[in-house]
Amino acid sequence: MSSASSKAWWKEAVVYQIYPASFKDSNGDGLGDIPGIISKVPYIKSLGVDTIWLSPIFASPQNDMGYDISDYRAIHAPYGTVEDVQTLIDQLHNNNMRLLMDLVVNHTSDEHAWFKESRSSRDDPKRDWYFWRDPKFDANGNRKEPNNWKSIFGGSAWHFDEQTGQYYLALFLPSQPDLNWENEDMRQASYDDMRFWLDRGVDGFRIDSMNLMSKHPDLPDGKIVDDEPYQSGAEFFASGPRMHDYIREMRAVFDEYDTMTVGELGFTNDEESVGAYVGKDRHELNMVFTGDIVDMDFGSDSNHSKYGRGAFHPRKIRQITDMWQRVMPKVNGWNSVYLDNHDSGRSLSRYASDAPEHRSAAAKMLATYLLTLSGTPFMLAGQEVGMANLGKDYGVEAYIDVEGRNYYEAVLKTRGGDHSKMGDVMRELQLKARDHGRLPMQWDDSANAGFSAEGTKPWMTINRDYVDWNVASQVDEPDSVLAYWRKMLALRKEHSDLLTYGSYTPLSEGDTGEKVLGYERQCHETGKTALVLLNFSDREQKVQVKSFAQREFEVLVSNQDTNIKAHNVTLMPHGAVIKASYVTLMPFGAVVLVDGC
C-alpha cells in the first residue's frame, strides 16, 4: 500500500537530534549551549536534514540532564535565554528548517513552583496536581510505601514527605515527582506552557514518557516476580485508562498550529496498542518511538532488563523492521525510523562494528538502513561521522549518567564493594549506557574535539577517538561517512515517492540468509522499484534473490565497490546495496538497486 495520497511535511522531514550540553560550547564553560547550536546551523543544513530536535533546554536543576524541569517558560541559564531560542527558531525558519522541542510533562522537578505549592500543605489547591498518598503500616507498625512500585532508576517510586506525612510518586528520580493528569487545572496549565513555545514558532514536540501520564486510578501493587522489595508497576502506570483522552485533548492544542508530534511510548510495543496512538482516524499523534529498536541487545532474562546480559542478532532487526513497516499502512499510521538517541549506546558499536577495519562501512550501512525505510528518519548528532561508544579501556569513572551509575553502585553493593567483580556490569555499560549517546560532538582534532575551547573542562568524557573521527577530517573527503550520509539524504529527497512513500515488501531469511536484511520498496504510481540489501556481519555474504533474476536493476547507491555481472553482487562486511538478483555482500556491505527510473 502506498501512502502517497496523504503527504505531509513531517513525513518527508529528516530529524537531527541535538543533545544541547554536548553539541557546541560557545563560551568556554565546558557545556554546550544555544549560541553554539546557532553557529552550526549552516553545517546542519549542509547535511540535507531539515528539522532539529533539541533535548530539554528548559530551566532545571539538572538532576536528570534537563528532564527535571523547574520552569517550562525559562531556559537553563548555561544554555542561554528565551531570546537565544527565538534567534535559533528564526534562523532555522529562514533556512526552510524547523525546530522540535522536548516536552516533558509526565513529571516536573521538585523545584518547580507547582510542586513547591503542592508540597506546602495537604490543603493547598495544587495538592492534587501530583500523586500524594498516605503510608501503609506492616504488622509491626513500620511505615511502608503506598504500593510496591519500583522506580525506573531503581529503589522505591514513593518518597516520604516529613512535613505533610504523606508519600509522593516519582517514577524516575526522587526529585522528579509525577504530575497527576486527572487534574484538569494542571492539564490546562500544561497546555498554556505548550502554547508559550508554539506562539514563538516551535514546530512540534517530542513528548517524553508520553504514555505514563495516565495511571490506574487505584495504583495497585505490581506483580511480584522476584524477591526484591520493589516490583515493576508498568502494567498499572503505562498506557492507563485515560491515556487516549489526554492525547486527544492535547492534540486540540496542537491543531491550533501546524505541528509535528512524536510520543515516547515506553513499555508498549504491540501492534494494536501502537496503532491506537497513530492511526490517522484516531487524531492523536503523528508517530511514536516504541523503543524496541534500541533494546535489541537487552537481557534475555524474564525482565528483559537493559543491563542484563544480552546479544544482538540481525534476526531481531529483521523482525522489528518487518513488523512496523507492515503495520503502519494497515492502521493508516506513520513510522519513526531511528537507531540512536540520547538514552542509548551508539548503534554502530552495538549492532554493527566500530572496529577500525569495519567502522566506515558499518556506519554507511546503518545510514542506508535509516534512509531507505518508510517513515520519518531520526538521526543523532555524530552519526553522520561514525561516532562510536567509549572503548573498553574506559573505567567506570568515565560514566556519569545517573541511570548507569545507579545500576553499577547497586550491583557493587551486593558484591561487597569489590570492583574487580564488576566485569560483567562494565561490559553492559560499555554497550548500553546513556553516556554514549551524550558524548560531546567531535568537530575536529584540536583540544576537546573542537567542542569546547582548549583549557576548559568539558562536562563529560570526550571519546579519545575524536582525533581520527571528526567532522573536519571528513567534510571534504568524498569517501567519508559524512559524504555518504549527504549522498543518502539527497537520494531520499530525490526519490521521495519511492523511499519515503513507497510500499515495503520484506525478503525472507530464506532469501537472504540470517545475517543479511533485505527488502523491496516500490512506488505503485510509477512502477519504480528499489531492492535494499544490508550485511549485518563482518563476513562476506552471498545472496541470490531468484525473484529478481529477470529484472534489470541499476545500482542506486552502495557503500562498497560493487561487482555486479549478470545480476551477481558481492557484499563486503557491513555492506549495503540497492539492486541485483545474485549479490555477494562484503563485511557490512550495503547496496540499493533500482529499476523503472
Side-chain angles (χ1 to χ4, degrees):
M1 178 188 299
S2 173
S3 302
S5 60
S6 56
K7 292 184 177 181
W9 71 262
W10 45 267
K11 291 182 178 181
E12 299 176 23
V14 177
V15 183
Y16 187 82
Q17 182 188 359
I18 290 175
Y19 200 69
S22 298
F23 194 64
K24 179 62 179 175
D25 170 20
S26 72
N27 59 6
D29 64 358
L31 197 70
D33 46 49
I34 305 301
I37 296 170
I38 292 170
S39 73
K40 294 298 184 179
V41 168
Y43 164 76
I44 299 168
K45 182 176 176 60
S46 76
L47 296 175
V49 302
D50 47 35
T51 303
I52 289 175
W53 156 30
L54 290 185
S55 291
I57 56 174
F58 306 114
S60 166
Q62 298 290 310
N63 291 323
D64 187 23
M65 287 307 298
Y67 285 92
D68 50 326
I69 295 172
S70 56
D71 187 343
Y72 290 97
R73 302 191 186 197
I75 301 301
H76 182 50
Y79 289 163
T81 64
V82 171
E83 290 72 25
D84 289 331
V85 178
Q86 188 65 61
T87 298
L88 175 61
I89 293 169
D90 293 343
Q91 286 211 14
L92 290 174
H93 289 178
N94 289 340
N95 282 278
N96 296 313
M97 300 172 72
R98 292 178 166 91
L99 179 68
L100 305 182
M101 296 183 83
D102 224 312
L103 184 64
V104 187
V105 288
N106 172 70
H107 49 268
T108 68
S109 165
D110 60 358
E111 296 185 18
H112 195 290
W114 297 350
F115 187 72
K116 289 180 178 180
E117 293 178 49
S118 179
R119 193 176 203 168
S120 65
S121 140
R122 289 196 183 199
D123 299 323
D124 188 86
K126 288 188 173 62
R127 185 68 168 182
D128 194 42
W129 285 33
Y130 297 84
F131 291 90
W132 292 94
R133 294 293 186 272
D134 289 327
K136 292 181 178 180
F137 294 90
D138 64 18
N140 297 318
N142 297 310
R143 189 183 72 222
K144 305 288 289 185
E145 293 88 353
N147 67 28
N148 68 350
W149 290 359
K150 177 171 60 178
S151 161
I152 292 168
F153 287 161
S156 176
W158 292 93
H159 308 282
F160 190 67
D161 179 63
E162 295 286 351
Q163 179 177 335
T164 58
Q166 286 188 315
Y167 285 89
Y168 66 88
L169 178 67
L171 289 175
F172 293 90
L173 291 175
S175 57
Q176 292 171 292
D178 280 54
L179 287 162
N180 177 17
W181 274 71
E182 291 276 353
N183 187 293
E184 184 174 358
D185 289 340
M186 188 286 298
R187 297 200 306 274
Q188 294 304 323
S190 290
Y191 301 149
D192 286 344
D193 286 338
M194 296 173 202
R195 290 189 181 95
F196 176 87
W197 291 105
L198 291 167
D199 286 341
R200 280 155 179 75
V202 168
D203 300 287
F205 297 105
R206 176 264 190 184
I207 308 172
D208 180 72
S209 303
M210 178 272 298
N211 63 316
L212 306 188
M213 293 188 294
S214 175
K215 281 86 169 171
H216 189 291
D218 297 332
L219 306 182
D221 280 344
K223 185 186 301 181
I224 297 175
V225 297
D226 53 37
D227 60 359
E228 294 296 319
Y230 306 110
Q231 305 291 320
S232 172
E235 64 178 310
F236 301 117
F237 65 64
S239 293
R242 294 197 61 192
M243 194 63 250
H244 294 287
D245 295 337
Y246 299 153
I247 294 298
R248 281 191 289 270
E249 186 176 78
M250 191 186 300
R251 176 65 181 264
V253 175
F254 297 151
D255 282 351
E256 299 170 16
Y257 308 83
D258 183 18
T259 60
M260 170 182 170
T261 55
V262 53
E264 182 187 26
L265 191 60
F267 307 97
T268 307
N269 54 26
D270 63 283
E271 175 179 336
E272 181 179 357
S273 299
V274 171
Y277 284 106
V278 299
K280 186 177 181 181
D281 60 344
R282 299 281 303 180
H283 207 64
E284 296 188 20
L285 297 167
N286 297 144
M287 66 197 86
V288 296
F289 294 134
T290 56
D292 45 8
I293 202 75
V294 291
D295 66 8
M296 293 187 291
D297 58 356
F298 278 20
S300 55
D301 57 309
S302 59
N303 292 326
H304 193 55
S305 56
K306 176 172 182 176
Y307 293 114
R309 179 102 184 184
F312 168 72
H313 189 283
R315 188 173 292 123
K316 295 183 180 180
I317 197 168
R318 180 193 305 278
Q319 292 168 343
I320 292 169
T321 303
D322 289 355
M323 178 172 70
W324 295 122
Q325 289 291 303
R326 287 170 156 178
V327 164
M328 287 304 165
K330 287 197 299 184
V331 301
N332 200 9
W334 194 250
N335 272 304
S336 63
V337 182
Y338 69 106
L339 286 168
D340 292 62
N341 63 31
H342 61 289
D343 280 337
S344 67
R346 294 274 176 174
S347 60
L348 178 66
S349 301
R350 297 169 69 194
Y351 305 149
S353 176
D354 56 17
E357 67 271 25
H358 295 312
R359 185 165 173 173
S360 179
K364 294 173 184 178
M365 184 270 291
L366 294 177
T368 311
Y369 169 84
L370 277 177
L371 296 174
T372 57
L373 288 171
S374 178
T376 300
F378 289 75
M379 57 185 292
L380 179 64
Q383 268 185 282
E384 74 273 22
V385 293
M387 280 183 62
N389 284 356
L390 294 173
K392 294 180 180 179
D393 54 340
Y394 286 87
V396 69
E397 67 280 354
Y399 295 85
I400 65 173
D401 177 61
V402 62
E403 179 197 72
R405 286 306 295 258
N406 281 1
Y407 177 75
Y408 183 93
E409 297 299 331
V411 177
L412 181 65
K413 185 176 180 180
T414 68
R415 299 179 182 180
D418 188 348
H419 290 273
S420 69
K421 297 179 179 179
M422 298 293 287
D424 58 331
V425 175
M426 283 305 303
R427 173 191 176 275
E428 301 306 317
L429 288 176
Q430 288 160 359
L431 284 173
K432 307 166 190 172
R434 300 196 302 183
D435 303 72
H436 303 300
R438 306 174 180 194
L439 296 175
M441 184 69 176
Q442 295 167 195
W443 292 106
D444 56 41
D445 62 0
S446 66
N448 294 327
F451 159 73
S452 192
E454 184 175 2
T456 63
K457 181 176 174 54
W459 76 279
M460 77 170 302
T461 307
I462 290 180
N463 199 331
R464 286 190 286 270
D465 71 5
Y466 78 86
V467 175
D468 298 312
W469 293 88
N470 60 69
V471 172
S473 67
Q474 297 188 30
V475 69
D476 295 320
E477 172 54 54
D479 193 40
S480 66
V481 174
L482 178 57
Y484 191 86
W485 268 96
R486 285 174 166 167
K487 179 192 296 185
M488 284 301 309
L489 286 161
L491 284 172
R492 184 175 178 86
K493 185 175 296 185
E494 179 184 352
H495 299 279
S496 178
D497 58 338
L498 178 64
L499 299 180
T500 301
Y501 293 111
S503 65
Y504 170 92
T505 303
L507 300 183
S508 70
E509 189 173 307
D511 285 329
T512 64
E514 65 176 19
K515 297 299 181 67
V516 174
L517 176 63
Y519 45 88
E520 179 184 344
R521 304 297 313 281
Q522 185 172 31
C523 174
H524 294 289
E525 288 80 2
T526 65
K528 188 189 304 181
T529 300
L531 173 64
V532 183
L533 296 171
L534 308 165
N535 181 5
F536 276 85
S537 79
D538 58 2
R539 297 288 185 271
E540 179 180 298
Q541 303 289 332
K542 292 187 177 182
V543 181
Q544 185 172 14
V545 186
K546 296 179 182 178
S547 60
F548 290 89
Q550 305 304 317
R551 298 166 67 174
E552 291 295 331
F553 284 87
E554 295 180 0
V555 176
L556 178 62
V557 67
S558 176
N559 70 344
Q560 63 180 51
D561 291 331
T562 55
N563 177 20
I564 305 175
K565 295 181 180 178
H567 302 288
N568 189 324
V569 183
T570 299
L571 282 184
M572 301 296 289
H574 303 291
V577 69
I578 308 178
K579 181 181 167 133
S581 68
Y582 187 176
V583 181
T584 304
L585 292 171
M586 302 308 285
F588 303 105
V591 177
V592 182
L593 311 170
V594 295
D595 73 354
C597 293

mmCIF file of all heavy atoms in Angstrom, residues 118-141:
data_model
loop_
_atom_site.group_PDB
_atom_site.id
_atom_site.type_symbol
_atom_site.label_atom_id
_atom_site.label_comp_id
_atom_site.label_asym_id
_atom_site.label_seq_id
_atom_site.Cartn_x
_atom_site.Cartn_y
_atom_site.Cartn_z
ATOM 1 N N SER A 118 2.305 22.426 45.966
ATOM 2 C CA SER A 118 1.634 21.165 46.268
ATOM 3 C C SER A 118 2.161 20.555 47.566
ATOM 4 O O SER A 118 1.400 19.975 48.349
ATOM 5 C CB SER A 118 1.847 20.189 45.109
ATOM 6 O OG SER A 118 1.231 18.949 45.353
ATOM 7 N N ARG A 119 3.431 20.719 47.798
ATOM 8 C CA ARG A 119 4.095 20.124 48.957
ATOM 9 C C ARG A 119 3.860 20.919 50.236
ATOM 10 O O ARG A 119 4.049 20.390 51.350
ATOM 11 C CB ARG A 119 5.596 20.059 48.660
ATOM 12 C CG ARG A 119 6.411 19.205 49.581
ATOM 13 C CD ARG A 119 7.862 19.147 49.112
ATOM 14 N NE ARG A 119 8.542 17.971 49.611
ATOM 15 C CZ ARG A 119 9.721 17.548 49.178
ATOM 16 N NH1 ARG A 119 10.349 18.232 48.221
ATOM 17 N NH2 ARG A 119 10.284 16.476 49.685
ATOM 18 N N SER A 120 3.436 22.143 50.101
ATOM 19 C CA SER A 120 3.376 23.042 51.252
ATOM 20 C C SER A 120 2.340 22.637 52.285
ATOM 21 O O SER A 120 2.483 22.901 53.471
ATOM 22 C CB SER A 120 3.107 24.481 50.785
ATOM 23 O OG SER A 120 1.814 24.570 50.190
ATOM 24 N N SER A 121 1.271 21.994 51.847
ATOM 25 C CA SER A 121 0.189 21.643 52.767
ATOM 26 C C SER A 121 -0.755 20.660 52.095
ATOM 27 O O SER A 121 -0.918 20.676 50.872
ATOM 28 C CB SER A 121 -0.556 22.915 53.185
ATOM 29 O OG SER A 121 -1.912 22.761 53.256
ATOM 30 N N ARG A 122 -1.399 19.821 52.909
ATOM 31 C CA ARG A 122 -2.393 18.885 52.360
ATOM 32 C C ARG A 122 -3.601 19.623 51.777
ATOM 33 O O ARG A 122 -4.337 19.055 50.971
ATOM 34 C CB ARG A 122 -2.881 17.930 53.447
ATOM 35 C CG ARG A 122 -1.857 16.913 53.893
ATOM 36 C CD ARG A 122 -2.517 15.805 54.663
ATOM 37 N NE ARG A 122 -1.558 14.824 55.168
ATOM 38 C CZ ARG A 122 -1.883 13.595 55.550
ATOM 39 N NH1 ARG A 122 -3.150 13.208 55.489
ATOM 40 N NH2 ARG A 122 -0.966 12.765 56.007
ATOM 41 N N ASP A 123 -3.787 20.861 52.175
ATOM 42 C CA ASP A 123 -4.953 21.628 51.725
ATOM 43 C C ASP A 123 -4.646 22.587 50.577
ATOM 44 O O ASP A 123 -5.535 23.316 50.119
ATOM 45 C CB ASP A 123 -5.523 22.446 52.899
ATOM 46 C CG ASP A 123 -5.984 21.559 54.045
ATOM 47 O OD1 ASP A 123 -6.529 20.474 53.759
ATOM 48 O OD2 ASP A 123 -5.770 21.951 55.208
ATOM 49 N N ASP A 124 -3.400 22.602 50.113
ATOM 50 C CA ASP A 124 -3.044 23.533 49.045
ATOM 51 C C ASP A 124 -3.833 23.206 47.773
ATOM 52 O O ASP A 124 -4.044 22.025 47.442
ATOM 53 C CB ASP A 124 -1.547 23.447 48.749
ATOM 54 C CG ASP A 124 -1.097 24.540 47.790
ATOM 55 O OD1 ASP A 124 -0.782 25.650 48.251
ATOM 56 O OD2 ASP A 124 -1.100 24.274 46.564
ATOM 57 N N PRO A 125 -4.289 24.224 47.033
ATOM 58 C CA PRO A 125 -5.058 23.986 45.798
ATOM 59 C C PRO A 125 -4.326 23.124 44.778
ATOM 60 O O PRO A 125 -4.965 22.476 43.949
ATOM 61 C CB PRO A 125 -5.296 25.401 45.258
ATOM 62 C CG PRO A 125 -5.256 26.277 46.473
ATOM 63 C CD PRO A 125 -4.232 25.664 47.366
ATOM 64 N N LYS A 126 -3.010 23.128 44.823
ATOM 65 C CA LYS A 126 -2.246 22.310 43.860
ATOM 66 C C LYS A 126 -1.844 20.949 44.445
ATOM 67 O O LYS A 126 -1.063 20.215 43.834
ATOM 68 C CB LYS A 126 -0.991 23.059 43.378
ATOM 69 C CG LYS A 126 -1.284 24.230 42.433
ATOM 70 C CD LYS A 126 -0.001 24.789 41.843
ATOM 71 C CE LYS A 126 -0.278 25.849 40.777
ATOM 72 N NZ LYS A 126 -0.989 27.031 41.297
ATOM 73 N N ARG A 127 -2.368 20.606 45.615
ATOM 74 C CA ARG A 127 -2.011 19.309 46.207
ATOM 75 C C ARG A 127 -2.315 18.170 45.240
ATOM 76 O O ARG A 127 -1.509 17.243 45.073
ATOM 77 C CB ARG A 127 -2.789 19.099 47.510
ATOM 78 C CG ARG A 127 -2.405 17.832 48.281
ATOM 79 C CD ARG A 127 -1.007 17.916 48.836
ATOM 80 N NE ARG A 127 -0.719 16.849 49.794
ATOM 81 C CZ ARG A 127 0.419 16.720 50.460
ATOM 82 N NH1 ARG A 127 1.396 17.603 50.261
ATOM 83 N NH2 ARG A 127 0.618 15.735 51.304
ATOM 84 N N ASP A 128 -3.431 18.248 44.562
ATOM 85 C CA ASP A 128 -3.857 17.161 43.680
ATOM 86 C C ASP A 128 -3.230 17.258 42.287
ATOM 87 O O ASP A 128 -3.583 16.488 41.403
ATOM 88 C CB ASP A 128 -5.394 17.161 43.572
ATOM 89 C CG ASP A 128 -5.927 15.884 42.959
ATOM 90 O OD1 ASP A 128 -5.418 14.803 43.312
ATOM 91 O OD2 ASP A 128 -6.844 15.960 42.120
ATOM 92 N N TRP A 129 -2.291 18.180 42.098
ATOM 93 C CA TRP A 129 -1.585 18.248 40.820
ATOM 94 C C TRP A 129 -0.518 17.151 40.739
ATOM 95 O O TRP A 129 0.032 16.897 39.678
ATOM 96 C CB TRP A 129 -0.935 19.609 40.644
ATOM 97 C CG TRP A 129 -1.922 20.711 40.296
ATOM 98 C CD1 TRP A 129 -3.220 20.816 40.712
ATOM 99 C CD2 TRP A 129 -1.668 21.860 39.478
ATOM 100 N NE1 TRP A 129 -3.799 21.957 40.206
ATOM 101 C CE2 TRP A 129 -2.864 22.615 39.443
ATOM 102 C CE3 TRP A 129 -0.565 22.327 38.781
ATOM 103 C CZ2 TRP A 129 -2.978 23.812 38.727
ATOM 104 C CZ3 TRP A 129 -0.665 23.521 38.077
ATOM 105 C CH2 TRP A 129 -1.865 24.253 38.050
ATOM 106 N N TYR A 130 -0.236 16.528 41.870
ATOM 107 C CA TYR A 130 0.718 15.424 41.951
ATOM 108 C C TYR A 130 0.053 14.268 42.695
ATOM 109 O O TYR A 130 -1.084 14.384 43.161
ATOM 110 C CB TYR A 130 2.005 15.876 42.665
ATOM 111 C CG TYR A 130 2.764 16.959 41.931
ATOM 112 C CD1 TYR A 130 2.414 18.308 42.073
ATOM 113 C CD2 TYR A 130 3.813 16.653 41.078
ATOM 114 C CE1 TYR A 130 3.094 19.310 41.386
ATOM 115 C CE2 TYR A 130 4.512 17.643 40.387
ATOM 116 C CZ TYR A 130 4.143 18.962 40.546
ATOM 117 O OH TYR A 130 4.808 19.955 39.860
ATOM 118 N N PHE A 131 0.756 13.147 42.803
ATOM 119 C CA PHE A 131 0.212 11.963 43.484
ATOM 120 C C PHE A 131 0.698 11.927 44.934
ATOM 121 O O PHE A 131 1.885 11.682 45.188
ATOM 122 C CB PHE A 131 0.657 10.686 42.766
ATOM 123 C CG PHE A 131 0.041 10.496 41.416
ATOM 124 C CD1 PHE A 131 0.664 10.995 40.281
ATOM 125 C CD2 PHE A 131 -1.166 9.811 41.268
ATOM 126 C CE1 PHE A 131 0.103 10.815 39.030
ATOM 127 C CE2 PHE A 131 -1.731 9.627 40.015
ATOM 128 C CZ PHE A 131 -1.100 10.139 38.893
ATOM 129 N N TRP A 132 -0.219 12.157 45.857
ATOM 130 C CA TRP A 132 0.093 12.071 47.280
ATOM 131 C C TRP A 132 -0.763 10.968 47.904
ATOM 132 O O TRP A 132 -1.966 10.901 47.661
ATOM 133 C CB TRP A 132 -0.203 13.395 47.979
ATOM 134 C CG TRP A 132 0.714 14.518 47.580
ATOM 135 C CD1 TRP A 132 0.511 15.443 46.619
ATOM 136 C CD2 TRP A 132 1.987 14.816 48.151
ATOM 137 N NE1 TRP A 132 1.577 16.313 46.537
ATOM 138 C CE2 TRP A 132 2.503 15.944 47.483
ATOM 139 C CE3 TRP A 132 2.752 14.234 49.174
ATOM 140 C CZ2 TRP A 132 3.733 16.505 47.789
ATOM 141 C CZ3 TRP A 132 3.985 14.789 49.496
ATOM 142 C CH2 TRP A 132 4.467 15.920 48.799
ATOM 143 N N ARG A 133 -0.142 10.121 48.715
ATOM 144 C CA ARG A 133 -0.882 9.028 49.349
ATOM 145 C C ARG A 133 -0.384 8.819 50.781
ATOM 146 O O ARG A 133 0.799 9.039 51.097
ATOM 147 C CB ARG A 133 -0.685 7.714 48.565
ATOM 148 C CG ARG A 133 -1.278 7.718 47.160
ATOM 149 C CD ARG A 133 -2.789 7.792 47.164
ATOM 150 N NE ARG A 133 -3.358 7.663 45.822
ATOM 151 C CZ ARG A 133 -3.566 8.678 44.979
ATOM 152 N NH1 ARG A 133 -3.216 9.919 45.354
ATOM 153 N NH2 ARG A 133 -4.102 8.476 43.796
ATOM 154 N N ASP A 134 -1.298 8.359 51.623
ATOM 155 C CA ASP A 134 -0.946 8.027 52.999
ATOM 156 C C ASP A 134 -0.058 6.787 53.034
ATOM 157 O O ASP A 134 -0.146 5.916 52.157
ATOM 158 C CB ASP A 134 -2.209 7.747 53.823
ATOM 159 C CG ASP A 134 -3.018 9.006 54.090
ATOM 160 O OD1 ASP A 134 -2.411 10.084 54.226
ATOM 161 O OD2 ASP A 134 -4.254 8.891 54.164
ATOM 162 N N PRO A 135 0.770 6.668 54.051
ATOM 163 C CA PRO A 135 1.588 5.457 54.174
ATOM 164 C C PRO A 135 0.749 4.256 54.585
ATOM 165 O O PRO A 135 -0.355 4.403 55.107
ATOM 166 C CB PRO A 135 2.602 5.828 55.259
ATOM 167 C CG PRO A 135 1.955 6.910 56.049
ATOM 168 C CD PRO A 135 1.079 7.665 55.101
ATOM 169 N N LYS A 136 1.310 3.077 54.312
ATOM 170 C CA LYS A 136 0.777 1.847 54.875
ATOM 171 C C LYS A 136 1.659 1.448 56.057
ATOM 172 O O LYS A 136 2.766 1.965 56.223
ATOM 173 C CB LYS A 136 0.773 0.739 53.822
ATOM 174 C CG LYS A 136 -0.208 0.953 52.687
ATOM 175 C CD LYS A 136 -0.153 -0.209 51.698
ATOM 176 C CE LYS A 136 -1.176 -0.025 50.578
ATOM 177 N NZ LYS A 136 -1.113 -1.164 49.605
ATOM 178 N N PHE A 137 1.178 0.511 56.875
ATOM 179 C CA PHE A 137 1.964 0.040 58.015
ATOM 180 C C PHE A 137 1.904 -1.474 58.074
ATOM 181 O O PHE A 137 0.855 -2.073 57.819
ATOM 182 C CB PHE A 137 1.428 0.631 59.325
ATOM 183 C CG PHE A 137 1.597 2.129 59.410
ATOM 184 C CD1 PHE A 137 0.604 2.980 58.944
ATOM 185 C CD2 PHE A 137 2.760 2.682 59.931
ATOM 186 C CE1 PHE A 137 0.755 4.364 59.001
ATOM 187 C CE2 PHE A 137 2.922 4.059 59.984
ATOM 188 C CZ PHE A 137 1.922 4.900 59.526
ATOM 189 N N ASP A 138 3.058 -2.075 58.342
ATOM 190 C CA ASP A 138 3.075 -3.530 58.431
ATOM 191 C C ASP A 138 2.607 -3.980 59.813
ATOM 192 O O ASP A 138 2.213 -3.154 60.659
ATOM 193 C CB ASP A 138 4.462 -4.087 58.093
ATOM 194 C CG ASP A 138 5.544 -3.665 59.074
ATOM 195 O OD1 ASP A 138 5.221 -3.230 60.199
ATOM 196 O OD2 ASP A 138 6.737 -3.781 58.721
ATOM 197 N N ALA A 139 2.649 -5.294 60.047
ATOM 198 C CA ALA A 139 2.124 -5.856 61.291
ATOM 199 C C ALA A 139 2.868 -5.346 62.510
ATOM 200 O O ALA A 139 2.322 -5.339 63.629
ATOM 201 C CB ALA A 139 2.195 -7.386 61.232
ATOM 202 N N ASN A 140 4.092 -4.901 62.324
ATOM 203 C CA ASN A 140 4.891 -4.384 63.438
ATOM 204 C C ASN A 140 4.808 -2.868 63.578
ATOM 205 O O ASN A 140 5.530 -2.277 64.378
ATOM 206 C CB ASN A 140 6.344 -4.800 63.265
ATOM 207 C CG ASN A 140 6.520 -6.298 63.297
ATOM 208 O OD1 ASN A 140 5.902 -6.980 64.120
ATOM 209 N ND2 ASN A 140 7.356 -6.820 62.404
ATOM 210 N N GLY A 141 3.949 -2.261 62.771
ATOM 211 C CA GLY A 141 3.775 -0.820 62.843
ATOM 212 C C GLY A 141 4.808 -0.022 62.080
ATOM 213 O O GLY A 141 4.878 1.209 62.234
#
